[in-house]
Amino acid sequence: MPLSLSLQTRTIVKACLPALEAHGLDITKEMYRRLLSDENIRDLFNMSHQKTGDQPKALAFAVLAYARHIDDPSALKDMIERIAEKHVGLNILPEHYPHVGTALLGAIAHVLGDQATPEIMEAWKDAYGFLAEVLIGRERQIYQEHADSRGGWTGWRPFRITGRHEETADTTSFILQPVDGQPVMRHQPGQYLSFRLNLPGIGTERRNYSISSAPADDHYRITIRRQEEGTVSRWFHDHAGKGDVLDVSAPSGDFTLPPQVKHPLVLISAGSGITPIMSMMETLATQDSCPSVHLIHGATAPAETIFSDRLHELAAKGAFTADLFYSQVSTLPPRSQGINHHTGRLTPSWLKNHDDGQAHFYICGPAGFMTTMIQALRDQGISRERLHYELFGPAADPFLVTQA
């Protein structure tokens, strides 16, 4: 990422750090209030994250991180990549950025009042414009990569639900195939699909769901856990069925395996966090030569373990070994080939004994779970280069943001 901001701009932005630390969330809340007053822009956002406050928190952390690293924004390359991938999935375009800039600058002036001098506003205008150009440039590259890929596309492509399977009492998988019958882009294991849905009585909603299958030329599988407060997950469970057509954008996301896996892998998940992990495991199971793979997964009970049958099938074939933890049972199922069962939750002390000094860790699950796991691994001296994790929804946890 080139450094092209003036010294004056960088100095002023850094001088605003105390104000951002004190009022950053107020600024982003005001920004979204202004931005979402435009119906055309509002449809680009996940309104559930607005209701919970996660989206303003995530943006406040991102703005603060940008200000702290304004002298060398290349330190934020991982965060920039994650944002760019998310934007591409949601089909954010260059013409959307001025709306965001206007809302952000207006919010800064509104919250800071007399402190928002013309010099400060001009510096933030330059800083936002620079970051916007960086994101637009990276997003342009990703869009082009999608367009150039076999089976790839840009924009929204209609897919039909051709299969539905209940994995557990509250989790369902859906098979998606393109309406045009043409090939689909083979995703990178760990990526997600983004959806544009027009729900009766609700309106337009956009969501991301991890692909839970290995790459294929003709279909994707997504696996969705029902959330009682989740408007879209409830719609999928209660209404989505075979024959329904959905608008889908090409696979996105940077929580992916490298093209050539050269190190042992430890895959750590909890609950529905196993969905992108399953895509990885099914992919690795097809490779002739691959380093060792170890799965560590937490669920409430055996019956609530998503993909339980498939896990046992793959483990029996020697594709990986696994330790499964059940937080709400006292009696364990019998040991099966390649799989150990445990009562209680996965703990940092247990995890401490399972690092061979070379393994790369891929982690996905609820934010609190990931924070605990990442902190435990970091405390063991494991470098960030060996830690990879997926964040469902906006990055509203400050620890996870700073670790990324």
Side-chain angles (χ1 to χ4, degrees):
M1 188 185 299
L3 295 177
S4 61
L5 288 170
S6 69
L7 175 61
Q8 180 180 5
T9 291
R10 288 183 278 125
T11 300
I12 292 174
V13 167
K14 286 187 292 185
C16 291
L17 279 170
L20 290 177
E21 290 168 348
H23 305 294
L25 185 56
D26 292 331
I27 290 172
T28 55
K29 285 181 177 179
E30 174 64 18
M31 188 210 81
Y32 277 115
R33 187 190 68 77
R34 293 165 177 254
L35 195 61
L36 299 179
S37 64
D38 184 335
E39 183 176 341
N40 294 322
I41 299 297
R42 184 170 64 244
D43 287 344
L44 299 173
F45 290 90
N46 180 337
M47 296 308 296
S48 292
H49 292 153
Q50 297 298 324
K51 294 174 183 176
T52 63
D54 284 346
Q55 193 71 59
K57 287 180 185 177
L59 182 59
F61 294 140
V63 171
L64 183 59
Y66 181 42
R68 285 174 174 164
H69 293 277
I70 198 72
D71 283 329
D72 182 12
S74 63
L76 303 175
K77 64 182 185 302
D78 290 343
M79 185 178 79
I80 296 296
E81 182 67 17
R82 180 178 184 272
I83 293 172
E85 289 280 353
K86 186 63 68 69
H87 283 181
V88 168
L90 296 173
N91 282 286
I92 302 298
L93 300 173
E95 55 262 36
H96 295 134
Y97 278 88
H99 295 278
V100 177
T102 298
L104 176 61
L105 294 174
I108 291 173
H110 176 80
V111 173
L112 297 187
D114 292 342
Q115 297 180 59
T117 64
E119 292 78 14
I120 286 176
M121 296 309 300
E122 188 64 25
W124 275 101
K125 179 181 177 182
D126 290 345
Y128 173 78
F130 172 69
L131 182 59
E133 285 303 314
V134 170
L135 285 166
I136 290 170
R138 177 57 185 139
E139 289 157 19
R140 185 182 297 116
Q141 291 177 336
I142 299 173
Y143 281 125
Q144 192 61 53
E145 290 167 4
H146 288 177
D148 294 341
S149 297
R150 181 180 184 273
W153 72 97
T154 59
W156 300 104
R157 184 178 179 185
F159 276 69
R160 180 174 287 110
I161 297 176
T162 59
R164 172 176 172 147
H165 173 71
E166 278 64 43
E167 303 289 351
T168 69
D170 64 355
T171 304
T172 300
S173 289
F174 299 87
I175 304 298
L176 307 172
Q177 293 184 285
V179 170
D180 60 22
Q182 298 300 306
V184 300
M185 188 175 104
R186 293 175 71 89
H187 67 281
Q188 299 178 61
Q191 288 189 310
Y192 52 80
L193 296 176
S194 298
F195 296 81
R196 181 179 65 180
L197 306 163
N198 190 7
L199 306 184
I202 297 172
T204 301
E205 293 280 354
R206 302 193 186 196
R207 290 295 188 277
N208 310 310
Y209 290 107
S210 296
I211 303 169
S212 60
S213 55
D217 293 320
D218 62 344
H219 75 278
Y220 301 110
R221 181 182 69 197
I222 60 170
T223 303
I224 302 174
R225 168 165 277 176
R226 180 188 179 97
Q227 304 288 341
E228 286 308 316
E229 70 281 6
T231 301
V232 174
S233 72
R234 285 189 286 109
W235 179 84
F236 267 102
H237 276 256
D238 296 342
H239 302 289
K242 288 184 179 181
D244 288 343
V245 175
L246 311 173
D247 286 339
V248 183
S249 65
S252 297
D254 62 343
F255 177 66
T256 59
L257 292 176
Q260 298 293 326
V261 179
K262 300 179 180 180
H263 303 281
L265 299 177
V266 179
L267 311 176
I268 305 175
S269 59
S272 58
I274 199 171
T275 52
I277 299 295
M278 175 55 74
S279 178
M280 295 179 181
M281 290 192 297
E282 288 197 338
T283 302
L284 294 166
T286 66
Q287 298 180 358
D288 294 332
S289 60
C290 158
S292 65
V293 180
H294 186 66
L295 170 69
I296 306 172
H297 179 68
T300 56
E304 301 304 318
T305 303
I306 303 171
F307 305 124
S308 178
D309 291 344
R310 183 63 171 152
L311 291 177
H312 284 79
E313 176 187 348
L314 291 174
K317 294 179 179 179
F320 59 84
T321 58
D323 284 276
L324 304 183
F325 289 78
Y326 307 112
S327 61
Q328 297 181 15
V329 299
S330 56
T331 303
L332 293 173
R335 187 184 187 283
S336 55
Q337 184 175 345
I339 296 181
N340 296 311
H341 303 277
H342 309 267
T343 57
R345 299 180 184 274
L346 171 62
T347 64
S349 59
W350 188 94
L351 191 61
K352 184 176 181 180
N353 298 318
H354 292 79
D355 173 36
D356 64 1
Q358 296 182 327
H360 280 233
F361 294 80
Y362 286 77
I363 309 165
C364 188
F369 169 83
M370 291 200 299
T371 296
T372 299
M373 294 300 105
I374 293 168
Q375 185 66 68
L377 293 168
R378 295 286 289 148
D379 289 346
Q380 294 170 218
I382 294 174
S383 66
R384 292 187 183 184
E385 289 73 25
R386 292 170 57 198
L387 294 176
H388 316 267
Y389 57 92
E390 178 65 299
L391 295 171
F392 288 153
D397 184 298
F399 174 81
L400 295 179
V401 172
T402 55
Q403 291 302 296

